[in-house]
Amino acid sequence: MRRGRWAAPALELLFLCLAQANFAPYFFDNGVGSTNGNMALFSLPEDTPVGSHVYTLNGTDPEGDPVSYHISFDPSARSVLSVDPNFGNITLIEELDREREDEIEAIISISDGLNLVAEKVVILVTDANDEAPRFTEEPYVVQVPEDTPAGSSILKVHAVDKDTGSGGSVTYFLQNTHATKFAVDRHSGVLRLQAGATLDYEKARAHFVTVVAKDGGGRLRGADVVFSATTTVTVNVEDVQDMAPVFVGTPYYGYVYEDTLPGSEVLTVVAIDGDRGRPNRLVYSLVNGSDGAFEINETSGVIFVTQSPAQLRREVYELHVQVTEVSLAGSPAAQAMVSVTIRIVDLNNHPPTFYGENGPQNRFELSMYEHPPQGEILRGLKITVNDSDQGANAKFNLRLVGPGGIFRVVPQTVLNEAQVTIIVENSAAIDFEKSKVLTFKLLAIEVNTPEKFSSTADVVIQLLDTNDNVPKFTSHYYIARIPENAPGGSNVVAVTAVDPDTGPWGEVKYSIYGSGADLFLIHPSTGIIYTQPWASLDAEATARYNFYVKAEDMEGRSSLAEVFVTLLDVNDHYPQFGENFQEKTMVLGTPVKIEATDQDAEEPNNLVDYSITHVEPVNVFDIDAHTGEIWLKNSIRSLDALHNITPNGDCTWSLEVQAKDRGSPSFSTTALLKIDITDTETLSRSPMAAFLMQTKDNPMKAVGVLAGIMAVIVAITVLISTATFWRNKKSNKVLPVRRVLRKRPSPAPRSVRIEWLKFGRTKTAAKFALKEDAPNENCNNNSLGSSLPPEAPAPPPPPSMAPSTGAAHWTVPTVSGSLTPQQPRRSPKPQAAGSPSQSALVSELRQKFEKKNIDKKTYF
């Protein structure tokens, strides 16, 4: 037992020693702006999203033991943060609001399991622009006299923004600056009446001004935002004394019946102060016209009769009532005056009666122009309706009986008497062209009487015409046809336009214009279109014309119509052949064609029919009446049959062909046709003859072919001469004199078949002959066997003046040769040395050719 007592204290002492040897953990202090450590001077924006990782607690244990982290708050405060005990990550778990709580106190702790270290930290909540301005002292209502000067201050609005910095600054402006009489100071919020603006109680008793308060903007959740708020300022306009009194319910009519007692009320006049906001007291008085028979209550405006109706000397009294404002000081102010008509009437024994300017009247007439403006009053009608009864017996209704919707009557219910006004309702229905007279009945019928007395009055309106219509053509277009041989001044077509207006406004004047109107005229009054006196119409030149016709009244109101004029073709042209005498060649089995044209514009005048009117020697032909093709009759199948028919056996026919049009009357013309008949065998024997026979009808074709052949021959000759010249030049030879002799062709005899061109079977080269001069024995033929250079040619003999009678050829003297630099002669001939004339000729020729070569080089 004693050992056990000492063992327990010893064990506790051992544990105490071990505990004292274990050091406490601690936080790292990383300074301001760090995101981990001990949260020293840590701040957090109020718009930080819930759930964000905002900080990391960071500490260590000296012994290296693992540590855990904790955070706690005062029980009366919100727990807005949580911490991960193992990693120290602090997370925002509730929204922050700087305006409600600008700092957060928390206790953070770190523990190693044995030791716990706690620290108190203060977290600053920084501002974000999350608050909108708020107006204070709402609602804003202000009373402003209507005579307040422009520019005066009216009211000051004030808005507060709980944010700090630019987000907490507030500026003011009006929502609609164009449609208001007020302005606001953007910094102070003072509302003023704009310069030049005035208030008028009678026009507007209140104004509603919308003021906007806007903050300076700031960052919220990563974006720049601006908040604003609006308030409405009610400006009540206070009335001031600036308007005269006004009578209401005018005009005033009163009635005194035969049984009315003296002192009875006749009617009441009512006036109000024009300044309705603060009206003054009104006092009524009679100015004149009463003759002592009537008096008025100065306070109520009641007019009453002071005498018996039997004592009244007039049937109608015109009273002048004056109303006067009395100011608060008791002095008279503004005044107004009105007339009151009082009639003396008997009992209910009369129906409503219509009156004109001269008394009772049951017919009213008026003249007015058609289509008056909508809502116009018929001022020419002076109608008054009156019921002499009093009270309910004098109440009656008015209405118009007649075509509905054109006019309306005002008033529709009358007590005693009223001026009748008729107003235009439908201006379009008041049309002179539809009805020249409008008749209505004006009906007045009592409302609340058993008798239902009524009366009527005729209203007759004579309409006066105005120029309200445009002339209109009976058709939008007119189509006319006229023969092309119509003389100048002929009628073409009559156009008609109608203007419903009367008098000068209904008179229509016609005119025409357009590119096709040059040949036409129009009568300005009748609308008859006719051709110009000098006009010459030709359907072949222009078959159709179109132009516009205009109908116009005296004030220039107009309309248009289009006129189409077609010229009818007249058979005024004869058919025309290309030539009146024609020659054609017909091959057996192939037709020939003759053609005529008619210049008329239309069928059948320009359709041509063909016929053979005369044939020599015998008619062996048929002709197509429509195409003009001519062919041999079917019985003729060979030339032998034709040889037996013709007297000379030459197969030549003469035909007279008639071309006749189909017009009425019909015109015709004739042509002489000479036909040579041949067959295909004859054409194949001689190609040239066949060609000439085929081109006999077209001589220009033959001329063209011959011209082409001659051009080819000339080209070949030029090529041969050029080649010869250059070859002689290379061989350094002077060519001797040549003469080209051309055979004169003998004229070919004309046969009966008109073979006016006939070539022989000789070649083209045979027409030309080359003849050397007799004295020159060395011919320039470039022979290979000649080794000696040519001698200088002798001068040509003088031309013979005497004509040669028996010569069948004519010659053209030409000189051709080639000049080269002179070379030493190997074996000079004796005759060359002793011939000075030939040496001179050679020198002269050399000079000429050198000069020619120099000219060519200069040209190229």
Side-chain angles (χ1 to χ4, degrees), residues 693-706:
M693 190 65 68
Q694 292 175 359
T695 58
K696 186 176 181 181
D697 296 334
N698 190 1
M700 294 306 297
K701 181 178 180 181
V703 173
V705 173
L706 292 178

Side-chain angles (χ1 to χ4, degrees), residues 27-28 30 34-39 42 53-59 69 83-84 86-91 108:
F27 286 104
F28 294 120
N30 294 326
S34 174
T35 59
N36 63 83
N38 61 351
M39 299 186 75
F42 176 65
H53 172 218
V54 297
Y55 198 83
T56 301
L57 294 177
N58 191 4
Y69 304 94
V83 64
D84 186 330
N86 297 322
F87 299 100
N89 293 330
I90 296 180
T91 304
I108 59 173

Side-chain angles (χ1 to χ4, degrees), residues 363-602:
R363 181 180 175 88
F364 298 89
E365 294 185 359
L366 171 69
S367 295
M368 62 178 293
Y369 287 102
E370 61 177 333
H371 302 303
Q374 197 89 2
E376 180 173 324
I377 298 174
L378 304 187
R379 303 186 183 277
L381 293 175
K382 304 294 184 180
I383 305 175
T384 302
V385 62
N386 173 266
D387 191 327
S388 301
D389 300 329
Q390 292 293 323
N393 294 331
K395 187 176 182 180
F396 57 93
N397 290 336
L398 282 177
R399 67 172 181 263
L400 282 175
V401 180
I406 300 177
F407 299 99
R408 63 184 176 91
V409 63
V410 176
Q412 296 182 353
T413 301
V414 180
L415 180 62
N416 296 123
E417 183 177 286
Q419 188 78 25
V420 179
T421 302
I422 298 178
I423 302 175
V424 176
E425 280 281 296
N426 186 358
S427 176
I430 307 174
D431 192 348
F432 177 84
E433 285 72 30
K434 294 180 180 178
S435 177
K436 296 179 176 57
V437 179
L438 297 177
T439 303
F440 300 88
K441 281 191 177 295
L442 189 58
L443 174 63
I445 182 170
E446 293 179 347
V447 179
N448 297 323
T449 62
E451 297 83 8
K452 297 291 183 183
F453 289 139
S454 64
S455 63
T456 60
D458 294 327
V459 179
V460 180
I461 301 175
Q462 301 284 344
L463 294 182
L464 303 178
D465 194 18
T466 60
N467 189 20
D468 61 332
N469 290 284
V470 177
K472 292 185 179 179
F473 284 95
T474 56
S475 176
H476 293 295
Y477 57 88
Y478 294 87
I479 299 176
R481 295 176 177 84
I482 181 174
E484 65 174 330
N485 61 349
S490 299
N491 291 348
V492 178
V493 66
V495 298
T496 303
V498 178
D499 192 331
D501 295 321
T502 59
W505 292 323
E507 296 178 1
V508 179
K509 182 180 179 181
Y510 299 94
S511 59
I512 60 174
Y513 67 94
S515 59
D518 298 338
L519 298 180
F520 302 92
L521 296 173
I522 188 170
H523 194 282
S525 300
T526 63
I528 296 177
I529 299 175
Y530 53 93
T531 60
Q532 294 271 13
W534 47 264
S536 178
L537 305 179
D538 188 357
E540 288 74 34
T542 303
R544 292 175 179 82
Y545 298 88
N546 72 293
F547 49 86
Y548 292 93
V549 59
K550 180 179 180 182
E552 185 177 16
D553 62 15
M554 64 176 297
E555 291 187 350
R557 299 168 70 96
S558 62
S559 63
L560 299 177
E562 193 168 5
V563 179
F564 298 89
V565 179
T566 301
L567 298 186
L568 299 177
D569 187 39
V570 177
N571 192 23
D572 55 351
H573 288 82
Y574 286 81
Q576 296 291 331
F577 288 99
E579 295 180 359
N580 290 333
F581 179 77
Q582 302 181 25
E583 295 184 3
K584 294 184 179 294
T585 300
M586 177 185 289
V587 180
L588 285 178
T590 303
V592 296
K593 185 176 182 180
I594 190 169
E595 188 173 5
T597 57
D598 193 312
Q599 297 299 324
D600 286 316
E602 298 178 358

